Amino acid sequence: DAYFVTLPVRPMLQAVLTWCGPEQLVRYVRLALDFDWQTVYKTAQKLYAEEKWEAAMVLYQEIPADSAVVTAVFWHDAGVCLYRLGQPKAAKECLENAKSLGAADRDIEAYLTWIGEAEA
């Protein structure tokens, strides 16, 4: 459940989330890329939960598609980030991937509807 591998780094991430602006946060989270993909993903999940869409997407986009962490939840969360960042076409692709992997119980249909309405 730990992100950023070591316990002492967790408080640092929380401090960065609290005190840094978006640009500083993005610079900081790039440090996660020095760790394994599981750690990168856990960090992205934390950022997602904090609604730090841009910083989370920085990490999601670096995770290789064949990584074990790329699941329906991964695609859903990446899709929501992209939607929130104003990238509906990419968001739609991610959300459709999540749906195809069985993420039917999530809010995917609502996002796909909103994207469809915006495209019309």
Side-chain angles (χ1 to χ4, degrees), residues 18 28 30 35 42 48 71 77 81 89-91:
T18 302
Y28 177 77
R30 288 185 192 284
F35 298 101
K42 292 284 187 184
Y48 175 89
T71 63
D77 295 353
C81 284
K89 190 174 185 178

Side-chain angles (χ1 to χ4, degrees), residues 54-110:
E54 184 177 357
M57 201 61 225
V58 164
L59 299 182
Y60 285 132
Q61 70 189 9
E62 294 294 331
I63 298 172
D66 63 351
S67 173
V69 300
V70 178
T71 63
V73 174
F74 170 93
W75 286 117
H76 170 271
D77 295 353
V80 171
C81 284
L82 288 164
Y83 180 85
R84 299 293 184 153
L85 292 170
Q87 298 180 38
K89 190 174 185 178
K92 182 179 179 180
E93 185 178 327
C94 289
L95 293 166
E96 287 173 344
N97 284 343
K99 189 175 173 180
S100 73
L101 291 172
D105 62 320
R106 302 189 70 93
D107 52 2
I108 293 170
E109 290 305 322

Side-chain angles (χ1 to χ4, degrees), residues 8-48:
V9 179
R10 268 199 260 176
M12 181 65 167
L13 178 58
Q14 193 57 51
V16 169
L17 286 170
T18 302
W19 299 106
C20 290
E23 289 177 20
Q24 293 168 315
L25 180 58
V26 167
R27 278 197 309 265
Y28 177 77
V29 300
R30 288 185 192 284
L31 296 174
L33 297 173
D34 290 337
F35 298 101
D36 62 272
W37 295 123
Q38 182 68 31
T39 301
V40 172
Y41 179 59
K42 292 284 187 184
T43 305
Q45 286 181 306
K46 173 67 174 166
L47 295 164
Y48 175 89

